[in-house]
Amino acid sequence: VIIQGGGPGESFLAFDKVSGKIKWKSGDYLMTHATPVATTINDQRQVLFFTQKGIVSVNSANGKRLWMHNFPYKVSTAASAVVEKDIVYFAAGYGVGSTAIKVSKNNSTKELWFLEGNKPVTNHWSTPLVKDGYLYGMFGFKEYGNGPLKCVELKTGKVMWEKSGYGPAGVCLADDTLICLGDMGQLTLVKASPKNYEEISRLDKVINGKCWSSPIFADGKVLIRSTAEAACLDLQ
C-alpha cells in the first residue's frame, strides 16, 4: 500500500498490506491533494506523486526517485496525473494551468506543451481520462453548473470539442462510451470520439445535492453520489 505522507524523508510511504509495517519511505516534499498514480512508463513500474514542486516519480519497489518535472503550485492541486504510454498530463487550478510531458527511457522529461491560466485547458479537481491519445473530462475552474466537458488532444493541448453545462463533476469510460456526471445530478452517455460531441442518452436530475465526484462503472451498472444522495443505475 503506497501513500503520500509528510515530513523529512517520508513524503512517500509504502506499507506491507498484511502487517502494516513500513516497507520503504523516501522524499522531502510538501504534498498536494492529488492522489498518487501507479503506472508503467517505458517498461518501468512506478508511482507518480503530485507534490508542491511538481511531479515526482518513484520506483514502486523501493521508493527511489526515477525522475521529476517541476510544475507551479498555488493554493491547491487536486487533479491527479494522467498517463498514456510515455506521455504524462497534469494540471492545477487557481491560475496555474496544464502541461503534457514526454518521459524518455533514460528518465529525462521533455515538455510537449504548457498552457498557463484557468483556460482553455485546466482541471480544478476533476481528473480527466485518456483514450487513444485524447483527454476527456471536466475542464475549467469554478465554472459550477456551466463548466464544459471537453476533448483535448494529449500531445498538443488542442481542444477538439467542448460542451458546456456540466460543472466540476467527472467522467468514466465504458468501452467507447463516456459516462458523464454533471454537478446538478444530470447523467449523460457520450461517444468517446475526438470528432465531435455526440450525446447518446441523457437523464436529468437523477439525484439531489451537489455532484462533485466521478461516476463509477462496473458490470453494466453506474454508481453516482452527491452531497445528499447516492444512486445505482442499470445501464444494460
Side-chain angles (χ1 to χ4, degrees):
V1 179
I2 301 175
I3 66 169
Q4 57 191 37
E10 50 187 34
S11 297
F12 318 131
L13 300 167
F15 296 88
D16 185 285
K17 67 179 181 180
V18 177
S19 67
K21 293 181 179 180
I22 293 179
K23 301 288 289 184
W24 54 255
K25 57 182 180 179
S26 64
D28 296 297
Y29 301 91
L30 295 176
M31 306 309 296
T32 68
H33 293 94
T35 301
V37 175
T39 187
T40 299
I41 302 175
N42 296 320
D43 298 321
Q44 171 67 63
R45 193 64 177 165
Q46 52 199 278
V47 181
L48 308 186
F49 292 89
F50 209 157
T51 76
Q52 293 184 22
K53 293 291 185 181
I55 294 288
V56 179
S57 169
V58 304
N59 187 312
S60 60
N62 54 30
K64 292 183 178 180
R65 195 176 85 172
L66 296 173
W67 55 268
M68 178 182 177
H69 191 89
N70 292 327
F71 192 70
Y73 174 81
K74 293 180 183 179
V75 185
S76 174
T77 299
S80 298
V82 179
V83 182
E84 186 174 66
K85 298 179 180 178
D86 59 355
I87 298 179
V88 183
Y89 165 85
F90 43 102
Y94 302 93
V96 175
S98 59
T99 190
I101 63 172
K102 186 179 182 69
V103 183
S104 68
K105 291 185 178 180
N106 65 1
N107 285 324
S108 63
T109 63
K110 176 185 178 182
E111 183 181 284
L112 298 178
W113 54 270
F114 172 72
L115 295 173
E116 186 177 4
N118 294 329
K119 291 184 178 182
V121 179
T122 196
N123 301 99
H124 191 180
W125 63 68
S126 174
T127 302
L129 58 86
V130 63
K131 176 177 170 55
D132 300 331
Y134 294 92
L135 297 163
Y136 299 92
M138 310 308 181
F139 293 85
F141 180 73
K142 292 189 176 181
E143 297 180 66
Y144 308 115
N146 292 320
L149 170 69
K150 292 186 181 184
C151 172
V152 177
E153 188 174 38
L154 179 61
K155 289 183 178 180
T156 65
K158 178 183 178 182
V159 177
M160 307 303 294
W161 54 255
E162 62 180 281
K163 179 67 174 180
S164 63
Y166 281 95
V171 301
C172 66
L173 188 67
D175 296 325
D176 295 324
T177 301
L178 302 171
I179 302 174
C180 312
L181 178 64
D183 68 352
M184 293 183 290
Q186 69 273 34
L187 188 72
T188 61
L189 302 182
V190 177
K191 187 175 181 180
S193 169
K195 294 181 180 180
N196 58 345
Y197 176 85
E198 184 178 337
E199 195 170 291
I200 300 169
S201 64
R202 166 182 287 266
L203 287 172
D204 288 314
K205 202 64 175 177
V206 180
I207 55 176
N208 296 307
K210 297 177 181 178
C211 298
W212 284 355
S213 60
S214 296
I216 300 169
F217 177 76
D219 299 326
K221 297 178 176 60
V222 60
L223 173 68
I224 58 175
R225 64 185 178 91
S226 70
T227 54
E229 299 175 340
C232 181
L233 293 83
D234 193 339
L235 299 186
Q236 294 180 344

